[in-house]
Amino acid sequence: MSAVQDWKSVVKSDYFTAAISTGIACLFTNPVEVIKTRLQLQGELSGKSVPKIYKGPFHAAYVIFKNEGILALQKGLTTAILYQVVMNGIRLGSHSSFKQLTGAIDPYSTPFFFFRNLLSGAASGALGTHANPIEKCSGWLSTSIQWCHRSFQRNHSERGYSRSLERI
């Protein structure tokens, strides 16, 4: 095997390991994200005479589980995993390659090790952020959701609006 083939296999295995680990972590953190999003939406709408459905995060988890089932806590899981796999897979998977490029391998014999390592982390973080197509669309998606909420609130009753908020 040549050095280029070795480097490509290391990059592939690093990306694969990072992608799998962030995807698995997303399985456990997605319910927290669902609860957080619902509480944030409720907070944004609290001044608009919409009744409060959730009293706190634990109550929100209980109400969601009771009314919608356990799978409701995993809403949006596919998109969340895709986002994490692409962004953090690239970010964490490319970090060791950037460390090799900058020479930040051995902290005891490398001059300016801290700054080389800092540069490696910044480069891999920037690559992961700018290479993710989902990140590019997230601003548009959140704006569209806010527009949808405002439009629904203008055109429908508050009771129907609060009922739709329960379904999110």
Side-chain angles (χ1 to χ4, degrees):
M1 266 188 164
S2 70
V4 173
Q5 289 174 333
D6 287 339
W7 183 75
K8 285 182 179 179
S9 67
V10 167
V11 169
K12 286 179 186 175
S13 68
D14 285 351
Y15 175 76
F16 181 74
T17 305
I20 293 297
S21 63
T22 58
I24 291 172
C26 192
L27 289 171
F28 297 101
T29 59
N30 193 56
V32 177
E33 288 292 320
V34 169
I35 292 167
K36 178 193 74 139
T37 302
R38 291 195 186 195
L39 287 170
Q40 284 176 334
L41 285 172
Q42 177 177 282
E44 288 177 12
L45 302 171
S46 64
K48 299 177 177 52
S49 69
V50 175
K52 277 194 164 189
I53 300 166
Y54 312 118
K55 296 176 185 170
F58 294 112
H59 184 254
Y62 171 75
V63 169
I64 293 168
F65 176 74
K66 182 181 171 196
N67 294 339
E68 302 172 45
I70 190 75
L71 292 180
L73 289 170
Q74 291 290 2
K75 281 188 178 180
L77 181 64
T78 307
T79 308
I81 287 178
L82 180 64
Y83 174 77
Q84 293 297 326
V85 162
V86 173
M87 185 181 72
N88 288 325
I90 292 172
R91 229 184 343 183
L92 299 173
S94 65
H95 183 67
S96 65
S97 299
F98 279 116
K99 282 176 69 171
Q100 288 179 347
L101 286 173
T102 59
I105 304 298
D106 185 16
Y108 300 108
S109 63
T110 306
F112 303 109
F113 175 77
F114 174 77
F115 295 108
R116 290 177 186 221
N117 211 8
L118 184 69
L119 178 64
S120 301
S124 62
L127 180 65
T129 301
H130 292 296
N132 193 350
I134 299 169
E135 178 69 22
K136 308 272 187 227
C137 298
S138 66
W140 179 80
L141 288 171
S142 65
T143 305
S144 298
I145 290 169
Q146 290 172 359
W147 175 83
C148 181
H149 284 300
R150 280 190 232 118
S151 173
F152 192 88
Q153 189 176 18
R154 273 195 305 267
N155 299 326
H156 294 30
S157 70
E158 291 174 2
R159 183 173 173 215
Y161 187 68
S162 65
R163 208 175 304 139
S164 70
L165 180 61
E166 290 175 355
R167 294 187 186 133
I168 293 177

